[in-house]
Amino acid sequence: MNQKLVEITEHARQIGSRPDYVQGGGGNVSIKLNANTMAIKASGYRLEDIYPEDGIVFLDHTRLKSFFKTKTFTTDLDLLIKENESVVIESV
């Protein structure tokens, strides 16, 4: 198990269990685990409910970075959303 992931999820649970720190247990947590992989709190999970094996999505952040560095943006919002969703899905 990646120690960084263990630590960040422990901290998230501690913070998420404190209503004086977070509103409704929500918020975002992410960490780069290595040169390519990023762990991100999954949507729909409360901070207090994430663990290294649950509530985390892993993706290739270098692929996303490359996409956005080389992307020529369009004013066609629907096309941009479709392309963005596609690269995110391929990166998971």
Side-chain angles (χ1 to χ4, degrees):
M1 180 69 58
N2 184 295
Q3 188 59 33
K4 288 181 186 179
L5 184 58
V6 169
E7 290 175 10
I8 196 77
T9 55
E10 286 176 359
H11 292 305
R13 284 193 309 278
Q14 290 172 359
I15 292 168
S17 67
R18 297 280 310 264
D20 53 328
Y21 287 171
V22 294
Q23 186 174 17
N28 295 310
V29 173
S30 63
I31 189 167
K32 289 181 181 176
L33 300 175
N34 57 42
N36 297 323
T37 306
M38 177 176 262
I40 302 171
K41 182 189 79 65
S43 179
Y45 282 81
R46 296 167 56 99
L47 287 172
E48 64 184 336
D49 296 330
I50 64 169
Y51 292 86
E53 62 280 347
D54 190 33
I56 298 290
V57 176
F58 300 91
L59 61 81
D60 180 345
H61 65 84
T62 57
R63 185 174 184 150
L64 289 174
K65 184 177 179 180
S66 176
F67 170 77
F68 285 109
K69 275 187 159 184
T70 61
K71 177 69 183 143
T72 302
F73 290 98
T74 176
T75 56
D76 183 344
L77 184 58
D78 291 333
L79 177 61
L80 179 61
I81 290 170
K82 185 176 180 178
E83 290 175 343
N84 184 29
E85 287 175 348
S86 177
V87 75
V88 168
I89 289 168
E90 292 168 4
S91 299
V92 173

